[in-house]
Amino acid sequence: MNVEYINPFIKSVDTYFEDTLKATVTQGDLGVSKGDVNPREFAAIVGFNGVVQGIIAMFFPIKTALGITSKVSAKQVVIVDDKVTDTIASVILNVVKEAKDNFPTDDVNAIQVTNAAVLRGSEFSEKYPGGVWLEMPFNCKLGEFKLRVALQKTD
């Protein structure tokens, strides 16, 4: 996997959290994911097709999802409901939009979002191109979360 495909997503996470949520994120070390899924976490997943194909996913513990939703709502949210799921969906879609705008191609239509979902539980399996997920952990005042990227250039 080419780093030029990963960097726009990492930068987009930084920008979204800083500009929209007013929360500075710190990045952990980029590494290969073991693919572990905590059944209590939210998994926000977006598929891509075009000059690259694959998946990006963001994993949020409940505490972080509630913290982000509270920040967006400007009031404390303590119950996991559709508002939390919708907020997490909005986070990943905004991260993806900005990353697409900064992708290493001149053709704005070269990458299309094929599907998006927010899941919770462990009754799903992550299938991805190239056989490896790269994972970047993040932390901020709203909580910790992970970004996973599995993209490969199409022929």
Side-chain angles (χ1 to χ4, degrees), residues 1 53-54 127-133 150-152:
M1 187 178 332
Q53 66 178 5
K127 303 284 187 204
Y128 42 86
V132 66
W133 278 102
L151 296 173
Q152 69 180 15

mmCIF file of all heavy atoms in Angstrom, residues 1 53-54 127-133 150-152:
data_model
loop_
_atom_site.group_PDB
_atom_site.id
_atom_site.type_symbol
_atom_site.label_atom_id
_atom_site.label_comp_id
_atom_site.label_asym_id
_atom_site.label_seq_id
_atom_site.Cartn_x
_atom_site.Cartn_y
_atom_site.Cartn_z
ATOM 1 N N MET A 1 0.850 -1.169 0.000
ATOM 2 C CA MET A 1 0.000 0.000 0.000
ATOM 3 C C MET A 1 0.899 1.237 0.000
ATOM 4 O O MET A 1 1.845 1.328 0.755
ATOM 5 C CB MET A 1 -0.891 -0.011 1.238
ATOM 6 C CG MET A 1 -1.910 1.071 1.227
ATOM 7 S SD MET A 1 -3.047 1.120 2.628
ATOM 8 C CE MET A 1 -3.157 -0.544 3.160
ATOM 9 N N GLN A 53 -8.931 1.013 -4.966
ATOM 10 C CA GLN A 53 -10.101 0.364 -4.377
ATOM 11 C C GLN A 53 -9.736 -0.082 -2.985
ATOM 12 O O GLN A 53 -8.570 -0.305 -2.681
ATOM 13 C CB GLN A 53 -10.562 -0.817 -5.216
ATOM 14 C CG GLN A 53 -9.588 -1.971 -5.262
ATOM 15 C CD GLN A 53 -10.133 -3.137 -6.070
ATOM 16 O OE1 GLN A 53 -11.189 -3.052 -6.675
ATOM 17 N NE2 GLN A 53 -9.403 -4.222 -6.078
ATOM 18 N N GLY A 54 -10.756 -0.181 -2.156
ATOM 19 C CA GLY A 54 -10.499 -0.644 -0.803
ATOM 20 C C GLY A 54 -11.456 -0.062 0.189
ATOM 21 O O GLY A 54 -12.561 0.364 -0.153
ATOM 22 N N LYS A 127 -13.236 -7.543 5.119
ATOM 23 C CA LYS A 127 -12.575 -8.042 3.915
ATOM 24 C C LYS A 127 -11.914 -6.849 3.247
ATOM 25 O O LYS A 127 -12.524 -5.798 3.106
ATOM 26 C CB LYS A 127 -13.591 -8.660 2.955
ATOM 27 C CG LYS A 127 -14.407 -9.768 3.559
ATOM 28 C CD LYS A 127 -13.610 -11.033 3.656
ATOM 29 C CE LYS A 127 -14.536 -12.143 4.112
ATOM 30 N NZ LYS A 127 -13.902 -13.216 4.753
ATOM 31 N N TYR A 128 -10.690 -7.019 2.823
ATOM 32 C CA TYR A 128 -9.972 -5.872 2.303
ATOM 33 C C TYR A 128 -8.968 -6.302 1.248
ATOM 34 O O TYR A 128 -8.492 -7.433 1.245
ATOM 35 C CB TYR A 128 -9.265 -5.115 3.422
ATOM 36 C CG TYR A 128 -8.594 -6.039 4.415
ATOM 37 C CD1 TYR A 128 -7.310 -6.517 4.201
ATOM 38 C CD2 TYR A 128 -9.271 -6.461 5.553
ATOM 39 C CE1 TYR A 128 -6.715 -7.375 5.093
ATOM 40 C CE2 TYR A 128 -8.674 -7.324 6.455
ATOM 41 C CZ TYR A 128 -7.392 -7.772 6.215
ATOM 42 O OH TYR A 128 -6.811 -8.624 7.099
ATOM 43 N N PRO A 129 -8.642 -5.387 0.333
ATOM 44 C CA PRO A 129 -7.684 -5.708 -0.724
ATOM 45 C C PRO A 129 -6.257 -5.700 -0.194
ATOM 46 O O PRO A 129 -5.952 -5.017 0.772
ATOM 47 C CB PRO A 129 -7.890 -4.574 -1.733
ATOM 48 C CG PRO A 129 -8.360 -3.427 -0.906
ATOM 49 C CD PRO A 129 -9.178 -4.046 0.207
ATOM 50 N N GLY A 130 -5.430 -6.462 -0.812
ATOM 51 C CA GLY A 130 -4.017 -6.446 -0.466
ATOM 52 C C GLY A 130 -3.667 -7.229 0.782
ATOM 53 O O GLY A 130 -2.496 -7.379 1.108
ATOM 54 N N GLY A 131 -4.644 -7.707 1.511
ATOM 55 C CA GLY A 131 -4.396 -8.575 2.654
ATOM 56 C C GLY A 131 -3.888 -7.906 3.913
ATOM 57 O O GLY A 131 -3.509 -8.584 4.854
ATOM 58 N N VAL A 132 -3.883 -6.565 3.974
ATOM 59 C CA VAL A 132 -3.372 -5.914 5.179
ATOM 60 C C VAL A 132 -4.129 -4.609 5.438
ATOM 61 O O VAL A 132 -4.466 -3.870 4.528
ATOM 62 C CB VAL A 132 -1.849 -5.647 5.072
ATOM 63 C CG1 VAL A 132 -1.529 -4.629 3.995
ATOM 64 C CG2 VAL A 132 -1.274 -5.217 6.394
ATOM 65 N N TRP A 133 -4.438 -4.397 6.702
ATOM 66 C CA TRP A 133 -4.975 -3.120 7.175
ATOM 67 C C TRP A 133 -3.825 -2.362 7.818
ATOM 68 O O TRP A 133 -3.114 -2.919 8.650
ATOM 69 C CB TRP A 133 -5.982 -3.341 8.296
ATOM 70 C CG TRP A 133 -7.373 -3.696 7.939
ATOM 71 C CD1 TRP A 133 -7.912 -4.939 8.001
ATOM 72 C CD2 TRP A 133 -8.419 -2.831 7.534
ATOM 73 N NE1 TRP A 133 -9.227 -4.892 7.655
ATOM 74 C CE2 TRP A 133 -9.567 -3.606 7.365
ATOM 75 C CE3 TRP A 133 -8.494 -1.456 7.299
ATOM 76 C CZ2 TRP A 133 -10.778 -3.057 6.966
ATOM 77 C CZ3 TRP A 133 -9.706 -0.919 6.903
ATOM 78 C CH2 TRP A 133 -10.827 -1.716 6.738
ATOM 79 N N ALA A 150 -7.128 0.272 4.056
ATOM 80 C CA ALA A 150 -6.701 -0.823 3.176
ATOM 81 C C ALA A 150 -7.078 -0.422 1.762
ATOM 82 O O ALA A 150 -8.219 -0.576 1.342
ATOM 83 C CB ALA A 150 -7.370 -2.140 3.562
ATOM 84 N N LEU A 151 -6.144 0.171 1.057
ATOM 85 C CA LEU A 151 -6.374 0.639 -0.308
ATOM 86 C C LEU A 151 -5.290 0.094 -1.209
ATOM 87 O O LEU A 151 -4.142 -0.022 -0.808
ATOM 88 C CB LEU A 151 -6.354 2.165 -0.374
ATOM 89 C CG LEU A 151 -7.433 2.923 0.388
ATOM 90 C CD1 LEU A 151 -7.140 4.419 0.353
ATOM 91 C CD2 LEU A 151 -8.795 2.632 -0.179
ATOM 92 N N GLN A 152 -5.667 -0.195 -2.448
ATOM 93 C CA GLN A 152 -4.657 -0.578 -3.427
ATOM 94 C C GLN A 152 -5.012 0.038 -4.765
ATOM 95 O O GLN A 152 -6.182 0.251 -5.073
ATOM 96 C CB GLN A 152 -4.532 -2.090 -3.544
ATOM 97 C CG GLN A 152 -5.713 -2.789 -4.160
ATOM 98 C CD GLN A 152 -5.512 -4.291 -4.236
ATOM 99 O OE1 GLN A 152 -4.628 -4.836 -3.586
ATOM 100 N NE2 GLN A 152 -6.317 -4.955 -5.009
#
